Amino acid sequence: IMTIAEHAARVLVIRTDKVGDMLLSMPAIKAVRASLPGAHLTVLASAYNEPAVRGWNVPDMVEIYDPAWPMRKRLTAAMALRRQRFDLCLVLHPDLEAYGVARLTGAAVRAGLVHARRVLDRLCAPAWLTHRSICRVDRAASRGLKVPHEIDLTRSVLELAGLKWGDGELDVGVSVDASRWAD
C-alpha cells in the first residue's frame, strides 16, 4: 500500500518553539530526508530556534516564521508558504497557531502532535490537521507512568504520515564557523 508520503515532492516540517525542542526534532527531520530523499524539504523555524539548524545539510531550506511577529506579518508569511505548494506538512510543535499555519499551506496531508490537556487545540486540530497524534504526557506523569520522550513524540507524527523512522540518533551538524568558534 502506497502512502501519501511516498508521493510527496515538497515537505514542510514546522518547529517554531524552543531551541532544545528543535534539536530533539533533528532525528525526525533526518528520518524525513531518509524516507523522501528526492523531496524538497523545508524546515519552518522561529528566529529564536533557527540557529540550531542553520548550516545543517539535511533540509533544503530553512524558513523563518515567528509567533512573536505582528499578526499581519504572520499571515503574509503563511500565505507565502501556501505558494510553495507543499504536499506534506509535519507539525512537530504542538501549538494551535502551528496547526493553523499547516492548514494555510494547503498541503494534502498535515500530520501533527496534539496535547490531550489542551482542550482548544484538541477541538480545532481535526479541522486543521488531517492526521493527529494525541500526546498524553500529563496523564502519564500524574499516574506515575513512563512519560514518552520528545523524540518518541515526533516519531509518532512521522509514523502517522507513513514515513519510516531511521536510527533516531541525535546528530547535530556543526558548521565550520561554529567549530572554529568552539576551538
Side-chain angles (χ1 to χ4, degrees):
I1 296 174
M2 299 288 277
T3 65
I4 186 70
E6 293 175 32
H7 299 288
R10 300 188 59 76
V11 180
L12 177 66
V13 176
I14 298 176
R15 189 79 214 213
T16 55
D17 55 345
K18 301 172 190 86
V19 173
D21 291 328
M22 176 64 88
L23 291 172
L24 291 174
S25 294
M26 291 172 112
I29 296 166
K30 281 177 28 183
V32 172
R33 170 54 71 217
S35 291
L36 302 167
H40 185 274
L41 175 58
T42 300
V43 172
L44 189 63
S46 68
Y48 179 70
N49 71 17
E50 182 271 339
V53 292
R54 184 184 310 140
W56 190 35
N57 64 352
V58 174
D60 296 298
M61 181 181 290
V62 177
E63 297 223 8
I64 306 263
Y65 176 94
D66 204 315
W69 288 343
M71 179 58 77
R72 183 180 191 103
K73 186 172 182 177
R74 295 189 327 248
L75 282 173
T76 300
M79 295 315 294
L81 291 169
R82 184 177 188 86
R83 289 189 293 275
Q84 293 186 43
R85 300 186 183 274
F86 292 103
D87 304 301
L88 173 63
C89 181
L90 303 170
V91 182
L92 304 183
H93 175 194
D95 173 76
L96 193 59
E97 185 167 347
Y99 309 148
V101 170
R103 178 67 181 102
L104 287 173
T105 67
V109 175
R110 300 174 307 276
L113 183 63
V114 179
H115 279 288
R117 67 180 160 83
R118 296 181 186 162
V119 176
L120 187 58
D121 290 14
R122 277 197 353 252
L123 292 173
C124 293
W128 294 346
L129 299 174
T130 59
H131 299 72
R132 295 163 303 285
S133 177
I134 305 299
C135 170
R136 292 180 169 79
V137 170
D138 291 336
R139 181 184 296 171
S142 70
R143 294 180 177 175
L145 302 172
K146 182 181 177 191
V147 175
H149 192 275
E150 182 75 21
I151 290 176
D152 295 321
L153 297 174
T154 59
R155 178 192 333 235
S156 70
V157 175
L158 269 64
E159 290 171 349
L160 278 174
L163 297 173
K164 295 179 184 133
W165 183 260
D167 60 15
E169 289 292 317
L170 185 57
D171 177 26
V172 179
V174 179
S175 70
V176 172
D177 290 338
S179 290
R180 285 187 197 132
W181 178 85
D183 287 343

